[in-house]
Amino acid sequence: RLRSAYELMPLRSVYLLTGYNRRSYEQSRDSNGFDRNSSGVTIGPGLRYDISGILLVDLFVGWRRQDIADPRLGTVNAAVAEARIAWNVTRLTTISGSLLRDLNETTVPNASSYIATRVELRADHELLRNLLLDARLGYEQDAFQGIERTDNYYIAGLGAKYLVNCVFSVSGGYGYRERDSDAAGTDFTEHTVSLRLNTQF
């Protein structure tokens, strides 16, 4: 993707985002006989607004076209958007929100793709200099193109990161995800617990 920006004034700019993608699979056809190789373009204007490092807003609205090799799936056109807001409540706490609408690939029979619309709210807090906490809530709707199916996801999570020293850190957390779909037999609830040892040099 290429972002061409023009600065209206310090910390405030407008831009034009253009992108191209090409997707090639190792197998020419999926298990249902569809050729899902494709290429696509994205274009649209955006705005970036920073208020003295306290509030940052980045907004993009555009259009995406994806040409799929299989003529039964054809070409998909969709409005896409991305909005991110970060509010530094204090030097130790940040609250951020995001809205993303994009076109994604799928292997669901007879569906060319799905439009994912995701909203997320996140809070990060530095409890101690070496202990960082985070919490998040989210919702996503996947609307499949070419068939009558909509999936709704409900997402939540808690996490922590402990900085052992300048090289090592330990992080972990709990994640919850639930899918509520109008396609029979595809609902699920997922609980995830993670623990990681991280290094950096």
Side-chain angles (χ1 to χ4, degrees):
R1 299 199 304 178
L2 176 65
R3 178 185 290 199
S4 304
Y6 175 76
E7 189 174 64
L8 300 172
M9 58 184 68
L11 304 179
R12 299 170 191 178
S13 62
V14 293
Y15 60 85
L16 178 67
L17 182 67
T18 54
Y20 172 79
N21 71 82
R22 184 175 181 84
R23 301 173 179 181
S24 300
Y25 292 87
E26 291 184 0
Q27 296 184 354
S28 58
R29 296 187 179 274
D30 66 14
S31 58
N32 297 294
F34 291 99
D35 182 354
R36 294 189 178 274
N37 293 327
S38 67
S39 61
V41 294
T42 304
I43 187 169
L47 170 68
R48 184 178 176 86
Y49 192 95
D50 189 338
I51 304 178
S52 303
I54 298 174
L55 182 66
L56 173 64
V57 178
D58 196 326
L59 173 64
F60 163 76
V61 178
W63 192 258
R64 171 111 170 255
R65 175 189 175 97
Q66 198 74 21
D67 295 308
I68 304 172
D70 198 309
R72 293 171 293 176
L73 302 177
T75 298
V76 183
N77 291 281
V80 294
E82 185 173 353
R84 299 185 184 278
I85 300 175
W87 175 31
N88 295 315
V89 184
T90 69
R91 292 185 177 182
L92 302 178
T93 304
T94 299
I95 296 176
S96 57
S98 64
L99 168 65
L100 177 66
R101 175 186 166 93
D102 202 2
L103 191 65
N104 294 294
E105 297 172 275
T106 183
T107 56
V108 172
N110 300 314
S112 61
S113 56
Y114 67 89
I115 297 175
T117 304
R118 181 182 179 115
V119 180
E120 185 175 79
L121 181 65
R122 178 184 175 106
D124 293 271
H125 179 68
E126 183 180 320
L127 184 63
L128 302 171
R129 284 187 173 274
N130 59 346
L131 181 58
L132 312 176
L133 306 177
D134 67 82
R136 61 191 182 280
L137 288 173
Y139 167 76
E140 180 176 328
Q141 182 184 83
D142 295 345
F144 287 81
Q145 306 300 292
I147 63 172
E148 293 294 328
R149 174 175 171 176
T150 301
D151 293 351
N152 296 288
Y153 291 88
Y154 304 92
I155 305 162
L158 296 170
K161 184 175 184 179
Y162 177 71
L163 307 175
V164 180
N165 51 42
C166 60
V167 177
F168 294 100
S169 64
V170 178
S171 62
Y174 165 75
Y176 172 84
R177 187 169 67 135
E178 177 184 347
R179 179 164 75 184
D180 179 16
S181 175
D182 55 16
T186 61
D187 295 351
F188 68 79
T189 299
E190 179 183 77
H191 301 270
T192 304
V193 177
S194 64
L195 180 63
R196 301 184 182 90
L197 175 63
N198 313 296
T199 62
Q200 65 180 22
F201 300 95

